[in-house]
Amino acid sequence: MIETPRDLYDGVILDHSKKPRNFGKLAHPSHQADGRNPICGDEISVFLQTEGEAFSAFAFSGQGCAISKASASLMTEDLRNRPPEQARERANEILQVLGQDMEGDPFERYGELGALTAVRRYPARLKCATLAWHTFLVALAGETTASTEDS
Ligand code: ZN
């Protein structure tokens, strides 16, 4: 039996929360949304600039717990080089994966993103991990605000 690579999960989360990738604001984004997770106090804004069938810029800003920040950082790295439509499908897939048990090794299947599946050990933190992804989808849909408490 293979043990859960707990150190690996924690290492990736810690690294991305301390040194978030693509962190900052865009002055004139084509899409922008502000996401809030009132339960934990996380606030994540997602900024996108689309150019044809690609993102020419992809950034996030905000404040919150380590998981919310790491998730946003990992998300930008995972999505920024995908065509917007594919990024949308990917975000929906990851949101689904985070909310359920997955067979096999999450790192093998999702690379560093697999670290986010650690939230299954802390169900109360699930919304911290999903916030950035929801906010991205809202931004891409052309809307401006997202909350984990909307039904
Ligand atoms: Zn949080």
Side-chain angles (χ1 to χ4, degrees):
M1 185 179 153
I2 301 166
E3 281 184 71
T4 306
R6 208 165 264 218
D7 291 345
L8 187 51
Y9 288 128
D10 295 345
V12 170
I13 298 287
L14 197 67
D15 178 51
H16 277 267
S17 66
K18 297 255 183 226
K19 290 177 290 180
R21 321 298 198 268
N22 310 297
F23 188 76
K25 297 178 179 181
L26 300 185
H28 304 289
S30 57
H31 301 72
Q32 176 191 345
D34 303 316
R36 295 170 66 87
N37 172 19
I39 289 175
C40 180
D42 307 316
E43 296 180 353
I44 296 284
S45 297
V46 172
F47 304 89
L48 309 171
Q49 183 68 51
T50 50
E51 210 173 287
E53 284 304 294
F55 293 112
S56 55
F58 200 128
F60 82 99
S61 70
Q63 53 191 1
C65 66
I67 290 176
S68 68
K69 228 173 184 177
S71 181
S73 174
L74 285 160
M75 178 191 76
T76 60
E77 285 291 275
D78 189 73
L79 299 184
R80 68 194 172 100
N81 292 318
R82 298 172 188 269
E85 188 53 28
Q86 205 191 92
R88 195 176 62 78
E89 285 171 18
R90 174 79 166 179
N92 280 315
E93 181 187 344
I94 297 299
L95 284 170
Q96 218 171 27
V97 165
L98 289 175
Q100 72 194 11
D101 281 333
M102 192 180 87
E103 288 183 29
D105 178 357
F107 281 94
E108 202 167 288
R109 189 142 157 216
Y110 291 105
E112 283 198 318
L113 274 187
L116 295 177
T117 60
V119 294
R120 296 199 190 109
R121 301 200 310 264
Y122 315 101
R125 311 306 295 280
L126 178 63
K127 287 173 177 175
C128 303
T130 58
L131 177 62
W133 301 81
H134 278 303
T135 306
F136 162 74
L137 288 171
V138 165
L140 195 62
E143 293 162 33
T144 54
T145 54
S147 172
T148 56
E149 300 313 294
D150 289 345
S151 54

